[in-house]
mmCIF file of all heavy atoms in Angstrom:
data_model
loop_
_atom_site.group_PDB
_atom_site.id
_atom_site.type_symbol
_atom_site.label_atom_id
_atom_site.label_comp_id
_atom_site.label_asym_id
_atom_site.label_seq_id
_atom_site.Cartn_x
_atom_site.Cartn_y
_atom_site.Cartn_z
ATOM 1 N N ALA Y 314 97.571 72.903 96.054
ATOM 2 C CA ALA Y 314 98.645 73.764 95.556
ATOM 3 C C ALA Y 314 99.804 72.960 94.944
ATOM 4 O O ALA Y 314 100.341 73.326 93.895
ATOM 5 C CB ALA Y 314 99.157 74.666 96.674
ATOM 6 N N LYS Y 315 100.204 71.888 95.583
ATOM 7 C CA LYS Y 315 101.337 71.110 95.073
ATOM 8 C C LYS Y 315 101.010 70.507 93.704
ATOM 9 O O LYS Y 315 101.836 70.530 92.787
ATOM 10 C CB LYS Y 315 101.721 70.010 96.064
ATOM 11 C CG LYS Y 315 102.319 70.545 97.357
ATOM 12 C CD LYS Y 315 102.796 69.418 98.247
ATOM 13 C CE LYS Y 315 103.335 69.953 99.568
ATOM 14 N NZ LYS Y 315 104.473 70.886 99.391
ATOM 15 N N THR Y 316 99.809 69.960 93.581
ATOM 16 C CA THR Y 316 99.397 69.391 92.302
ATOM 17 C C THR Y 316 99.303 70.480 91.238
ATOM 18 O O THR Y 316 99.710 70.286 90.088
ATOM 19 C CB THR Y 316 98.045 68.672 92.447
ATOM 20 O OG1 THR Y 316 98.157 67.637 93.419
ATOM 21 C CG2 THR Y 316 97.593 68.072 91.120
ATOM 22 N N TYR Y 317 98.759 71.635 91.633
ATOM 23 C CA TYR Y 317 98.639 72.757 90.698
ATOM 24 C C TYR Y 317 100.005 73.192 90.174
ATOM 25 O O TYR Y 317 100.194 73.405 88.970
ATOM 26 C CB TYR Y 317 97.925 73.919 91.390
ATOM 27 C CG TYR Y 317 98.145 75.252 90.730
ATOM 28 C CD1 TYR Y 317 97.593 75.543 89.487
ATOM 29 C CD2 TYR Y 317 98.910 76.233 91.354
ATOM 30 C CE1 TYR Y 317 97.811 76.774 88.874
ATOM 31 C CE2 TYR Y 317 99.127 77.452 90.752
ATOM 32 C CZ TYR Y 317 98.577 77.726 89.523
ATOM 33 O OH TYR Y 317 98.794 78.930 88.920
ATOM 34 N N ILE Y 318 100.990 73.339 91.052
ATOM 35 C CA ILE Y 318 102.325 73.764 90.626
ATOM 36 C C ILE Y 318 102.933 72.739 89.674
ATOM 37 O O ILE Y 318 103.466 73.078 88.615
ATOM 38 C CB ILE Y 318 103.232 73.984 91.852
ATOM 39 C CG1 ILE Y 318 102.751 75.211 92.644
ATOM 40 C CG2 ILE Y 318 104.685 74.151 91.432
ATOM 41 C CD1 ILE Y 318 103.438 75.387 93.978
ATOM 42 N N LYS Y 319 102.836 71.471 90.042
ATOM 43 C CA LYS Y 319 103.389 70.407 89.193
ATOM 44 C C LYS Y 319 102.731 70.411 87.819
ATOM 45 O O LYS Y 319 103.409 70.344 86.781
ATOM 46 C CB LYS Y 319 103.186 69.045 89.865
ATOM 47 C CG LYS Y 319 103.733 67.865 89.058
ATOM 48 C CD LYS Y 319 103.470 66.555 89.785
ATOM 49 C CE LYS Y 319 101.978 66.229 89.789
ATOM 50 N NZ LYS Y 319 101.709 64.877 90.367
ATOM 51 N N ASN Y 320 101.420 70.523 87.779
ATOM 52 C CA ASN Y 320 100.695 70.492 86.502
ATOM 53 C C ASN Y 320 100.958 71.737 85.653
ATOM 54 O O ASN Y 320 100.969 71.662 84.426
ATOM 55 C CB ASN Y 320 99.195 70.339 86.758
ATOM 56 C CG ASN Y 320 98.824 68.955 87.245
ATOM 57 O OD1 ASN Y 320 99.607 68.012 87.131
ATOM 58 N ND2 ASN Y 320 97.638 68.817 87.803
ATOM 59 N N VAL Y 322 103.779 73.580 85.592
ATOM 60 C CA VAL Y 322 105.104 73.428 84.990
ATOM 61 C C VAL Y 322 105.046 72.428 83.832
ATOM 62 O O VAL Y 322 105.612 72.666 82.745
ATOM 63 C CB VAL Y 322 106.128 72.976 86.048
ATOM 64 C CG1 VAL Y 322 107.477 72.671 85.400
ATOM 65 C CG2 VAL Y 322 106.284 74.065 87.120
ATOM 66 N N VAL Y 342 97.997 83.084 88.143
ATOM 67 C CA VAL Y 342 97.890 82.332 89.393
ATOM 68 C C VAL Y 342 96.581 82.672 90.102
ATOM 69 O O VAL Y 342 96.000 81.835 90.792
ATOM 70 C CB VAL Y 342 99.090 82.637 90.308
ATOM 71 C CG1 VAL Y 342 98.995 81.852 91.622
ATOM 72 C CG2 VAL Y 342 100.405 82.314 89.598
ATOM 73 N N ILE Y 346 97.415 80.479 95.620
ATOM 74 C CA ILE Y 346 98.361 79.660 96.375
ATOM 75 C C ILE Y 346 99.029 80.518 97.440
ATOM 76 O O ILE Y 346 98.970 81.747 97.386
ATOM 77 C CB ILE Y 346 99.427 78.999 95.470
ATOM 78 C CG1 ILE Y 346 100.143 80.042 94.608
ATOM 79 C CG2 ILE Y 346 98.784 77.928 94.584
ATOM 80 C CD1 ILE Y 346 101.241 79.459 93.725
ATOM 81 N N ALA Y 347 99.674 79.883 98.396
ATOM 82 C CA ALA Y 347 100.381 80.609 99.440
ATOM 83 C C ALA Y 347 101.583 81.344 98.840
ATOM 84 O O ALA Y 347 102.146 80.910 97.829
ATOM 85 C CB ALA Y 347 100.850 79.634 100.515
ATOM 86 N N PRO Y 348 102.014 82.448 99.439
ATOM 87 C CA PRO Y 348 103.155 83.192 98.889
ATOM 88 C C PRO Y 348 104.418 82.349 98.714
ATOM 89 O O PRO Y 348 105.135 82.489 97.721
ATOM 90 C CB PRO Y 348 103.354 84.307 99.922
ATOM 91 C CG PRO Y 348 102.010 84.526 100.509
ATOM 92 C CD PRO Y 348 101.379 83.164 100.564
ATOM 93 N N SER Y 349 104.699 81.485 99.660
ATOM 94 C CA SER Y 349 105.906 80.649 99.525
ATOM 95 C C SER Y 349 105.783 79.708 98.332
ATOM 96 O O SER Y 349 106.788 79.415 97.649
ATOM 97 C CB SER Y 349 106.143 79.847 100.809
ATOM 98 O OG SER Y 349 105.014 79.047 101.126
ATOM 99 N N ASP Y 350 104.567 79.233 98.046
ATOM 100 C CA ASP Y 350 104.354 78.399 96.862
ATOM 101 C C ASP Y 350 104.527 79.218 95.583
ATOM 102 O O ASP Y 350 104.990 78.700 94.558
ATOM 103 C CB ASP Y 350 102.956 77.780 96.896
ATOM 104 C CG ASP Y 350 102.798 76.734 97.984
ATOM 105 O OD1 ASP Y 350 103.800 76.084 98.319
ATOM 106 O OD2 ASP Y 350 101.676 76.578 98.492
ATOM 107 N N ALA Y 351 104.146 80.496 95.640
ATOM 108 C CA ALA Y 351 104.324 81.364 94.472
ATOM 109 C C ALA Y 351 105.793 81.556 94.146
ATOM 110 O O ALA Y 351 106.177 81.640 92.977
ATOM 111 C CB ALA Y 351 103.652 82.715 94.727
ATOM 112 N N VAL Y 352 106.635 81.629 95.170
ATOM 113 C CA VAL Y 352 108.085 81.724 94.954
ATOM 114 C C VAL Y 352 108.573 80.494 94.193
ATOM 115 O O VAL Y 352 109.330 80.593 93.213
ATOM 116 C CB VAL Y 352 108.834 81.855 96.305
ATOM 117 C CG1 VAL Y 352 110.349 81.819 96.079
ATOM 118 C CG2 VAL Y 352 108.425 83.140 97.020
ATOM 119 N N GLN Y 353 108.139 79.324 94.633
ATOM 120 C CA GLN Y 353 108.540 78.077 93.973
ATOM 121 C C GLN Y 353 108.058 78.032 92.531
ATOM 122 O O GLN Y 353 108.803 77.676 91.616
ATOM 123 C CB GLN Y 353 107.983 76.879 94.740
ATOM 124 C CG GLN Y 353 108.297 75.537 94.081
ATOM 125 C CD GLN Y 353 107.568 74.371 94.731
ATOM 126 O OE1 GLN Y 353 107.036 74.494 95.842
ATOM 127 N NE2 GLN Y 353 107.518 73.238 94.046
ATOM 128 N N LEU Y 354 106.796 78.420 92.304
ATOM 129 C CA LEU Y 354 106.241 78.364 90.953
ATOM 130 C C LEU Y 354 106.997 79.289 90.013
ATOM 131 O O LEU Y 354 107.338 78.892 88.886
ATOM 132 C CB LEU Y 354 104.761 78.753 90.988
ATOM 133 C CG LEU Y 354 104.054 78.809 89.636
ATOM 134 C CD1 LEU Y 354 104.065 77.452 88.942
ATOM 135 C CD2 LEU Y 354 102.612 79.299 89.815
ATOM 136 N N ALA Y 355 107.267 80.507 90.437
ATOM 137 C CA ALA Y 355 107.993 81.450 89.577
ATOM 138 C C ALA Y 355 109.370 80.910 89.215
ATOM 139 O O ALA Y 355 109.821 81.043 88.064
ATOM 140 C CB ALA Y 355 108.113 82.800 90.283
ATOM 141 N N ARG Y 356 110.032 80.294 90.165
ATOM 142 C CA ARG Y 356 111.361 79.739 89.913
ATOM 143 C C ARG Y 356 111.282 78.570 88.932
ATOM 144 O O ARG Y 356 112.102 78.468 87.996
ATOM 145 C CB ARG Y 356 111.990 79.288 91.239
ATOM 146 C CG ARG Y 356 113.433 78.805 91.096
ATOM 147 C CD ARG Y 356 114.084 78.583 92.442
ATOM 148 N NE ARG Y 356 113.331 77.628 93.258
ATOM 149 C CZ ARG Y 356 112.780 77.927 94.435
ATOM 150 N NH1 ARG Y 356 112.859 79.141 94.930
ATOM 151 N NH2 ARG Y 356 112.129 76.992 95.126
ATOM 152 N N GLU Y 357 110.302 77.691 89.096
ATOM 153 C CA GLU Y 357 110.212 76.522 88.228
ATOM 154 C C GLU Y 357 109.738 76.867 86.819
ATOM 155 O O GLU Y 357 109.967 76.104 85.871
ATOM 156 C CB GLU Y 357 109.294 75.479 88.871
ATOM 157 C CG GLU Y 357 109.881 74.904 90.157
ATOM 158 C CD GLU Y 357 109.144 73.671 90.642
ATOM 159 O OE1 GLU Y 357 108.408 73.050 89.846
ATOM 160 O OE2 GLU Y 357 109.307 73.322 91.836
ATOM 161 N N LEU Y 358 109.073 78.022 86.659
ATOM 162 C CA LEU Y 358 108.635 78.437 85.324
ATOM 163 C C LEU Y 358 109.704 79.219 84.559
ATOM 164 O O LEU Y 358 109.514 79.519 83.382
ATOM 165 C CB LEU Y 358 107.359 79.289 85.444
ATOM 166 C CG LEU Y 358 106.084 78.560 85.853
ATOM 167 C CD1 LEU Y 358 104.933 79.545 86.000
ATOM 168 C CD2 LEU Y 358 105.716 77.467 84.845
ATOM 169 N N GLU Y 359 110.785 79.523 85.204
ATOM 170 C CA GLU Y 359 111.828 80.342 84.582
ATOM 171 C C GLU Y 359 112.316 79.814 83.231
ATOM 172 O O GLU Y 359 112.491 80.592 82.284
ATOM 173 C CB GLU Y 359 112.999 80.482 85.555
ATOM 174 C CG GLU Y 359 113.871 81.682 85.304
ATOM 175 C CD GLU Y 359 114.855 81.906 86.451
ATOM 176 O OE1 GLU Y 359 115.211 80.917 87.135
ATOM 177 O OE2 GLU Y 359 115.263 83.052 86.652
ATOM 178 N N PRO Y 360 112.515 78.500 83.068
ATOM 179 C CA PRO Y 360 113.010 78.002 81.770
ATOM 180 C C PRO Y 360 112.050 78.222 80.600
ATOM 181 O O PRO Y 360 112.466 78.084 79.441
ATOM 182 C CB PRO Y 360 113.215 76.498 82.023
ATOM 183 C CG PRO Y 360 113.324 76.353 83.505
ATOM 184 C CD PRO Y 360 112.423 77.403 84.067
ATOM 185 N N LEU Y 366 104.034 86.336 84.833
ATOM 186 C CA LEU Y 366 103.232 85.517 85.741
ATOM 187 C C LEU Y 366 102.297 86.483 86.464
ATOM 188 O O LEU Y 366 102.748 87.422 87.117
ATOM 189 C CB LEU Y 366 104.130 84.787 86.737
ATOM 190 C CG LEU Y 366 103.470 83.800 87.697
ATOM 191 C CD1 LEU Y 366 102.870 82.616 86.939
ATOM 192 C CD2 LEU Y 366 104.485 83.314 88.735
ATOM 193 N N PRO Y 369 100.659 86.546 91.333
ATOM 194 C CA PRO Y 369 101.131 85.372 92.082
ATOM 195 C C PRO Y 369 100.795 85.437 93.560
ATOM 196 O O PRO Y 369 100.716 84.405 94.222
ATOM 197 C CB PRO Y 369 102.647 85.400 91.865
ATOM 198 C CG PRO Y 369 102.965 86.841 91.593
ATOM 199 C CD PRO Y 369 101.786 87.367 90.838
ATOM 200 N N VAL Y 370 100.602 86.664 94.110
ATOM 201 C CA VAL Y 370 100.240 86.800 95.517
ATOM 202 C C VAL Y 370 99.034 87.718 95.642
ATOM 203 O O VAL Y 370 98.715 88.492 94.735
ATOM 204 C CB VAL Y 370 101.412 87.357 96.363
ATOM 205 C CG1 VAL Y 370 102.579 86.399 96.345
ATOM 206 C CG2 VAL Y 370 101.838 88.742 95.875
ATOM 207 N N TRP Y 377 105.788 89.940 99.634
ATOM 208 C CA TRP Y 377 106.420 88.703 99.169
ATOM 209 C C TRP Y 377 106.961 88.842 97.739
ATOM 210 O O TRP Y 377 107.737 87.991 97.280
ATOM 211 C CB TRP Y 377 105.423 87.546 99.219
ATOM 212 C CG TRP Y 377 105.331 86.905 100.562
ATOM 213 C CD1 TRP Y 377 104.580 87.313 101.619
ATOM 214 C CD2 TRP Y 377 106.020 85.729 101.005
ATOM 215 N NE1 TRP Y 377 104.748 86.464 102.690
ATOM 216 C CE2 TRP Y 377 105.625 85.488 102.341
ATOM 217 C CE3 TRP Y 377 106.931 84.859 100.406
ATOM 218 C CZ2 TRP Y 377 106.118 84.409 103.078
ATOM 219 C CZ3 TRP Y 377 107.413 83.779 101.127
ATOM 220 C CH2 TRP Y 377 107.012 83.568 102.455
ATOM 221 N N ARG Y 380 110.633 88.526 97.541
ATOM 222 C CA ARG Y 380 111.168 87.159 97.585
ATOM 223 C C ARG Y 380 111.086 86.503 96.210
ATOM 224 O O ARG Y 380 112.008 85.779 95.788
ATOM 225 C CB ARG Y 380 110.388 86.328 98.609
ATOM 226 C CG ARG Y 380 110.630 86.705 100.053
ATOM 227 C CD ARG Y 380 111.916 86.058 100.580
ATOM 228 N NE ARG Y 380 111.865 84.600 100.488
ATOM 229 C CZ ARG Y 380 111.301 83.817 101.393
ATOM 230 N NH1 ARG Y 380 110.694 84.350 102.463
ATOM 231 N NH2 ARG Y 380 111.331 82.506 101.258
ATOM 232 N N ILE Y 381 109.980 86.729 95.518
ATOM 233 C CA ILE Y 381 109.840 86.172 94.169
ATOM 234 C C ILE Y 381 110.896 86.765 93.251
ATOM 235 O O ILE Y 381 111.521 86.056 92.447
ATOM 236 C CB ILE Y 381 108.423 86.436 93.622
ATOM 237 C CG1 ILE Y 381 107.378 85.733 94.484
ATOM 238 C CG2 ILE Y 381 108.308 85.978 92.168
ATOM 239 C CD1 ILE Y 381 105.941 86.038 94.096
ATOM 240 N N ALA Y 384 114.219 85.181 93.771
ATOM 241 C CA ALA Y 384 114.299 83.763 93.420
ATOM 242 C C ALA Y 384 114.237 83.491 91.926
ATOM 243 O O ALA Y 384 114.667 82.434 91.471
ATOM 244 C CB ALA Y 384 113.170 83.003 94.111
ATOM 245 N N SER Y 385 113.692 84.434 91.138
ATOM 246 C CA SER Y 385 113.414 84.125 89.739
ATOM 247 C C SER Y 385 113.465 85.377 88.868
ATOM 248 O O SER Y 385 113.168 86.484 89.326
ATOM 249 C CB SER Y 385 112.024 83.482 89.629
ATOM 250 O OG SER Y 385 111.626 83.340 88.285
ATOM 251 N N THR Y 387 111.470 85.407 86.233
ATOM 252 C CA THR Y 387 110.152 85.414 85.595
ATOM 253 C C THR Y 387 109.468 86.764 85.842
ATOM 254 O O THR Y 387 109.280 87.164 86.992
ATOM 255 C CB THR Y 387 109.255 84.292 86.161
ATOM 256 O OG1 THR Y 387 109.869 83.020 85.889
ATOM 257 C CG2 THR Y 387 107.878 84.327 85.530
#
Side-chain angles (χ1 to χ4, degrees):
K315 292 185 183 301
T316 301
Y317 160 70
I318 291 171
K319 180 181 69 174
N320 288 344
V322 174
V342 180
I346 54 178
S349 57
D350 291 330
V352 175
Q353 177 189 345
L354 177 61
R356 185 171 57 241
E357 294 192 18
L358 289 177
E359 203 170 27
L366 185 65
V370 297
W377 276 84
R380 290 278 301 276
I381 297 175
S385 171
T387 299

